[in-house]
Amino acid sequence: MTLPKILLQFDPDPHPSSFDGVVAIDAGVDHLFQYSRVTPHDVRELVYGAIFTRSPKQLHSTAIFIGGRDVKAAELLLDEVQKTFFGPMRVSVMLDPNGANTTAAAAILVVLRHIAPPGTVAVLGGTGSVGRRVARLAASLGFAVRVVSRSLERATDVCRDVAQQTADGKTLVSPFSSETKADLQEALKGVDAVVAAGAPGVELLSQPQRDLAHSARVFVDLNAVPPLGIDGIEVNAFDVQQAEARVYGAIGVGGIKMMLHRTAIVELFSSNNVILDAERILALGRTIAN
Amino acid sequence: MTLPKILLQFDPDPHPSSFDGVVAIDAGVDHLFQYSRVTPHDVRELVYGAIFTRSPKQLHSTAIFIGGRDVKAAELLLDEVQKTFFGPMRVSVMLDPNGANTTAAAAILVVLRHIAPPGTVAVLGGTGSVGRRVARLAASLGFAVRVVSRSLERATDVCRDVAQQTADGKTLVSPFSSETKADLQEALKGVDAVVAAGAPGVELLSQPQRDLAHSARVFVDLNAVPPLGIDGIEVNAFDVQQAEARVYGAIGVGGIKMMLHRTAIVELFSSNNVILDAERILALGRTIAN
Amino acid sequence: MTLPKILLQFDPDPHPSSFDGVVAIDAGVDHLFQYSRVTPHDVRELVYGAIFTRSPKQLHSTAIFIGGRDVKAAELLLDEVQKTFFGPMRVSVMLDPNGANTTAAAAILVVLRHIAPPGTVAVLGGTGSVGRRVARLAASLGFAVRVVSRSLERATDVCRDVAQQTADGKTLVSPFSSETKADLQEALKGVDAVVAAGAPGVELLSQPQRDLAHSARVFVDLNAVPPLGIDGIEVNAFDVQQAEARVYGAIGVGGIKMMLHRTAIVELFSSNNVILDAERILALGRTIAN
């Protein structure tokens, strides 16, 4: 007998995300337990309730989703969750605070529709939670990655982190500033793809600046709040031709993001030992795309 | 494929109402997400989770219920919910803090069993959250309405509000004091119906005072906590003959109130764009009654 | 028509127990409403929502579970819940804070596999929430009970409470100190069963001390966190022969505890007027065992 699928939603925010809740239900979760204001201190007891209530063979029907708006806070919860597991006493976990992992994976899936590694991907706003993940995923696939930020210092930090996380001796991750036009020209010179992953309502690339990336065959803007991240790309754009490139807006990418989110929730219940972070979610998406 | 029915329950109180939760389930809701301590500040994010997770064609399977004990707080949440909607990105919403809308609609349905507009309805305790709604609904149907309160000033305020909300040039809403016996006599002279909508445990009409309303053909008491609002009407009374009138107690009306509450929840899932406030709930009830 | 089974989970802790939630679902609950930080002040309104939403004949499909880590806090909630009920307006309630009732009942079920009243049961750590219940249940079955604690004073208090709660003129409940070896020798002399119900990670009986209870035919250790309560009993032990006795570890007993918890939840929905505390849960378990 298969037990009902129970998902424990851990959220550090004052209210658990209704977005994550609805997606969970639409992915087939039978019972959703939403927990808000979850801190690392609360995790052990909540995880005990997940792992000590069903036999190891049944634990694939229980899972944990870690969300909320604060990516760092969510990552701390994941650490604590994994520390609490032992031996077969574990359940699958998905990490997707602020939609950062599913959004980054969706952006890369879109890029892969048009270019393949090796090639060069510029990540504008590359130091935010989504941008870091886009850079990490691109690097792990073998792309040369340019992390672009107003602050060269922060871009350098991200590159070091990404290089460590994807260390295979072949990764090429370089920091670039976007402060001056000359900086941006340098950052975009010869790139094959541009992903804008900045804050909502912040333009990162004006129409004239797009010419600096004339070699790019694909542009992806992940900002859905006007002013958009890349001027001239409609928020709904999906695989639209503009000059020599195909362009995607945030809502255009959103359909793939939602599909990834649902697919990942379904995957949680296939076993009791997967940790679905950006890399695993991207891998899931690539399996489906093929 | 029809998606599971998800209801988001927004409640300003420290604990979400279990009453509203059970009724939702009994009206066919598949998944209830209860949120407590909801403030206007929290609404946008919670509504985004409702409207951005399913396609517009599927949004009739998601809905919002706004409850809690504080009627004003609930109304502020409704304002904020409606501000967040745009274009087809919206879901149906029911407003029923403290049961005020379903209770007022039930009282009017009961009155309509015995008298029709034009006619005169006196609302005792007419300045509370239920009383205001009884007055508004009665006025909107074309009854002459008397708002009766110990404070003539507050009754006058309510009449002004009701007149604005039901402005069609024909509405007659008048304030009356209940302070002295002479006041009360004036208030009840020639009325066709009396609805007592005061606070729990407060008597508004004693047995001798009932004679002042000898023209009334129906008395409705909405107070279920002794001492009752109208002395001599059993809390369970439903369409009982007393002298020349039919009388109803709070629990007698309660069955209709519960039916309205359930029917309104069902109605929420018929489309993604209804706002169920007192008027719409009464209209629903009248459709069923016929 | 049978209505969906709704369980209201009242928990005084900052997060409602996920353990209690999963067990409820696995026992067939259709909709779980979890409430955290529940105080006696909150109970009335939450109970009203349970008893006023369905007809008395349907109320067996609504129930309340009171849990959390603080046994005293949970007992205060139960008092308040029972005060709110009146006439047929009531639902069934299970009390199992910290698993104390199901654990104590499971320990007694295990003891009964090997010895029958009259006989002598020593309860080590007998003044904690589980220990008190083990003592109470054993006494109510007609065993002579020895409540053993480092503090003779606290043991004496517990014995007085237990004697009052099981007063039938035949109960024999005596306090013993475990402070010195001589004390412990006295406490364990001639016993038929030893149950260790102390705090997690506290050894109550070393290997040499076990010889002091050489007459015991059954040892039960309810502590699952090393160091275990009785040295030499594996946490998974279930009916294992050691010297002249059968021994049980905490996880060994855990299977029976889980079965009792699930069975009790199922029982909640058989009527609207059972209060499932330790005694009733034990009685349920005995019915099944036979």
Side-chain angles (χ1 to χ4, degrees):
Chain A
M1 193 193 71
T2 304
L3 293 173
K5 295 191 195 94
I6 297 178
L7 185 67
L8 280 64
Q9 181 182 345
F10 292 177
D11 201 311
D13 292 338
H15 293 97
S17 161
S18 57
F19 188 104
D20 295 334
V22 174
V23 177
I25 297 304
D26 287 348
V29 165
D30 295 306
H31 295 275
L32 177 68
F33 297 174
Q34 298 193 305
Y35 299 102
S36 59
R37 298 186 190 277
V38 177
T39 68
H41 176 76
D42 306 314
V43 163
R44 176 181 294 256
E45 198 71 20
L46 289 172
V47 170
Y48 279 168
I51 63 179
F52 289 143
T53 38
R54 293 171 159 185
S55 75
K57 280 188 180 170
Q58 299 170 323
L59 283 182
H60 65 90
S61 296
T62 308
I64 294 170
F65 178 93
I66 304 175
R69 277 181 274 182
D70 182 335
V71 175
K72 281 279 173 211
E75 287 175 337
L76 290 175
L77 295 185
L78 177 60
D79 287 348
E80 205 62 32
V81 165
Q82 291 188 284
K83 273 188 222 158
T84 309
F85 291 158
F86 60 93
M89 307 312 276
R90 61 183 64 246
V91 299
S92 290
V93 186
M94 176 173 174
L95 180 75
D96 199 27
N98 223 358
N101 281 333
T102 46
T103 302
I108 293 294
L109 276 183
V110 157
V111 167
L112 287 170
R113 299 180 81 218
H114 304 286
I115 67 168
T120 302
V121 177
V123 187
L124 308 184
T127 61
S129 58
V130 175
R132 283 167 177 268
R133 283 167 167 74
V134 171
R136 209 171 79 199
L137 293 175
S140 70
L141 292 176
F143 284 107
V145 177
R146 299 184 186 174
V147 175
V148 187
S149 169
R150 275 166 306 173
S151 157
L152 186 62
E153 194 183 339
R154 273 186 292 144
T156 305
D157 286 351
V158 170
C159 287
R160 190 174 43 236
D161 288 354
V162 169
Q164 280 172 359
Q165 289 165 324
T166 57
D168 61 354
K170 293 175 296 182
T171 308
L172 193 63
V173 196
S174 323
F176 285 84
S177 169
S178 60
E179 198 155 20
T180 69
K181 191 188 163 180
D183 288 338
L184 196 59
Q185 185 163 22
E186 186 70 14
L188 297 175
K189 190 177 168 185
V191 296
D192 300 295
V194 176
V195 179
V202 176
E203 183 180 286
L204 298 175
L205 211 58
S206 67
Q207 281 276 16
Q209 289 171 332
R210 280 174 65 177
D211 290 342
L212 303 174
H214 56 81
S215 58
R217 272 165 292 164
V218 53
F219 287 86
V220 182
D221 184 8
L222 299 175
N223 168 14
V225 180
L228 301 177
I230 301 180
D231 190 26
I233 299 182
E234 296 282 328
V235 74
N236 288 299
F238 185 85
D239 204 359
V240 171
Q241 187 78 27
Q242 286 188 352
E244 305 301 307
R246 309 298 290 188
V247 307
Y248 294 81
I251 295 180
V253 177
I256 295 179
K257 180 218 175 297
M258 290 298 286
M259 177 276 291
L260 283 177
H261 191 156
R262 278 191 214 102
T263 304
I265 298 281
V266 171
E267 180 73 7
L268 284 176
F269 296 97
S270 66
S271 77
N272 75 324
N273 56 15
V274 295
I275 305 294
L276 295 178
D277 55 6
E279 281 72 12
R280 291 294 288 265
I281 293 168
L282 175 59
L284 268 180
R286 297 188 75 187
T287 311
I288 294 162
N290 295 332
Chain B
M1 191 192 73
T2 303
L3 293 173
K5 294 192 196 92
I6 297 178
L7 185 68
L8 279 64
Q9 181 183 346
F10 293 176
D11 200 312
D13 291 339
H15 292 98
S17 160
S18 57
F19 188 103
D20 295 334
V22 174
V23 177
I25 297 303
D26 287 350
V29 165
D30 295 307
H31 295 274
L32 177 69
F33 297 175
Q34 298 193 305
Y35 299 102
S36 60
R37 299 185 189 277
V38 178
T39 69
H41 176 75
D42 306 315
V43 163
R44 175 180 295 257
E45 198 71 20
L46 290 172
V47 170
Y48 279 169
I51 63 179
F52 290 143
T53 38
R54 293 170 160 188
S55 75
K57 281 189 181 170
Q58 299 170 324
L59 283 181
H60 66 90
S61 296
T62 307
I64 294 171
F65 178 93
I66 304 176
R69 279 180 273 182
D70 182 336
V71 175
K72 282 279 173 209
E75 288 174 338
L76 290 175
L77 295 186
L78 177 60
D79 287 348
E80 205 60 32
V81 165
Q82 291 188 284
K83 273 188 222 158
T84 309
F85 292 159
F86 61 94
M89 309 311 277
R90 60 183 64 245
V91 299
S92 291
V93 187
M94 176 173 175
L95 180 76
D96 199 27
N98 223 1
N101 281 333
T102 47
T103 301
I108 293 295
L109 276 183
V110 156
V111 167
L112 287 170
R113 300 180 80 216
H114 304 286
I115 67 167
T120 302
V121 177
V123 187
L124 308 183
T127 62
S129 57
V130 174
R132 284 166 176 267
R133 283 166 168 74
V134 171
R136 209 171 78 199
L137 293 175
S140 70
L141 292 175
F143 284 107
V145 177
R146 298 186 185 173
V147 175
V148 187
S149 169
R150 277 166 304 173
S151 157
L152 185 62
E153 193 184 339
R154 273 185 293 145
T156 305
D157 286 349
V158 169
C159 288
R160 191 175 40 238
D161 289 354
V162 169
Q164 281 173 359
Q165 289 166 325
T166 58
D168 62 354
K170 293 176 295 183
T171 307
L172 194 64
V173 196
S174 323
F176 285 84
S177 168
S178 61
E179 197 155 22
T180 69
K181 192 189 164 179
D183 289 337
L184 197 59
Q185 186 162 20
E186 186 70 14
L188 297 175
K189 190 177 169 187
V191 296
D192 300 296
V194 176
V195 178
V202 176
E203 184 180 284
L204 299 175
L205 211 58
S206 66
Q207 282 275 16
Q209 290 171 331
R210 282 174 64 175
D211 290 340
L212 303 174
H214 55 81
S215 57
R217 274 165 290 162
V218 53
F219 287 86
V220 182
D221 182 8
L222 298 174
N223 167 13
V225 180
L228 300 177
I230 302 180
D231 191 26
I233 299 183
E234 296 281 330
V235 75
N236 288 300
F238 184 86
D239 204 358
V240 171
Q241 187 78 27
Q242 287 188 354
E244 304 302 307
R246 309 299 290 187
V247 307
Y248 294 81
I251 295 180
V253 177
I256 294 178
K257 181 220 175 295
M258 289 299 286
M259 178 275 290
L260 282 177
H261 191 156
R262 278 190 214 101
T263 303
I265 298 281
V266 171
E267 180 73 6
L268 283 177
F269 296 97
S270 66
S271 76
N272 74 324
N273 56 14
V274 296
I275 305 294
L276 296 177
D277 55 7
E279 281 72 13
R280 291 294 290 266
I281 293 168
L282 174 59
L284 268 180
R286 297 187 76 187
T287 310
I288 294 162
N290 295 332
Chain C
M1 192 192 74
T2 303
L3 292 174
K5 295 191 194 95
I6 297 178
L7 186 67
L8 279 64
Q9 182 182 342
F10 293 177
D11 200 310
D13 292 338
H15 293 97
S17 161
S18 57
F19 188 103
D20 295 334
V22 174
V23 176
I25 297 304
D26 288 348
V29 165
D30 295 306
H31 295 275
L32 178 69
F33 297 174
Q34 298 194 304
Y35 299 101
S36 59
R37 299 186 189 276
V38 178
T39 69
H41 176 75
D42 306 315
V43 163
R44 176 180 295 256
E45 198 71 21
L46 290 172
V47 170
Y48 279 168
I51 62 180
F52 289 143
T53 39
R54 294 170 159 187
S55 74
K57 281 189 180 170
Q58 299 170 324
L59 284 181
H60 66 90
S61 296
T62 308
I64 294 171
F65 178 93
I66 303 175
R69 276 180 275 182
D70 182 335
V71 175
K72 281 279 173 212
E75 288 174 337
L76 291 175
L77 295 186
L78 177 59
D79 287 349
E80 205 61 32
V81 165
Q82 292 188 284
K83 273 187 222 160
T84 309
F85 292 158
F86 60 94
M89 308 312 277
R90 61 183 65 245
V91 299
S92 290
V93 187
M94 176 173 176
L95 180 76
D96 199 26
N98 223 0
N101 281 333
T102 47
T103 301
I108 293 295
L109 276 183
V110 157
V111 166
L112 287 170
R113 300 180 81 217
H114 304 286
I115 67 170
T120 302
V121 177
V123 186
L124 308 183
T127 61
S129 58
V130 174
R132 282 166 177 269
R133 283 166 167 74
V134 171
R136 208 171 81 198
L137 293 175
S140 70
L141 292 175
F143 284 107
V145 177
R146 298 185 185 174
V147 175
V148 187
S149 169
R150 273 165 307 171
S151 157
L152 186 61
E153 194 184 339
R154 273 185 293 143
T156 305
D157 286 350
V158 170
C159 288
R160 188 174 44 236
D161 289 354
V162 169
Q164 280 172 359
Q165 290 165 325
T166 56
D168 62 354
K170 295 175 296 183
T171 307
L172 193 63
V173 197
S174 323
F176 285 84
S177 168
S178 60
E179 197 154 20
T180 69
K181 191 187 165 180
D183 289 337
L184 197 58
Q185 185 161 23
E186 186 71 14
L188 297 175
K189 190 177 170 187
V191 295
D192 300 296
V194 176
V195 178
V202 176
E203 183 180 286
L204 298 175
L205 211 58
S206 66
Q207 281 276 17
Q209 289 171 331
R210 281 174 64 176
D211 290 340
L212 302 175
H214 55 80
S215 58
R217 271 164 293 161
V218 54
F219 287 87
V220 182
D221 183 8
L222 298 174
N223 167 14
V225 180
L228 300 177
I230 302 180
D231 190 27
I233 299 183
E234 296 282 328
V235 74
N236 288 300
F238 184 85
D239 204 359
V240 171
Q241 187 77 27
Q242 286 188 353
E244 304 302 308
R246 309 299 289 189
V247 307
Y248 295 82
I251 295 181
V253 177
I256 294 178
K257 180 220 175 294
M258 290 299 286
M259 178 275 290
L260 283 177
H261 190 156
R262 276 190 216 103
T263 304
I265 297 282
V266 171
E267 180 72 6
L268 283 176
F269 296 97
S270 66
S271 77
N272 74 324
N273 56 14
V274 294
I275 305 293
L276 296 177
D277 55 7
E279 281 73 13
R280 291 293 290 265
I281 293 168
L282 174 59
L284 267 180
R286 297 187 76 187
T287 311
I288 294 162
N290 294 332

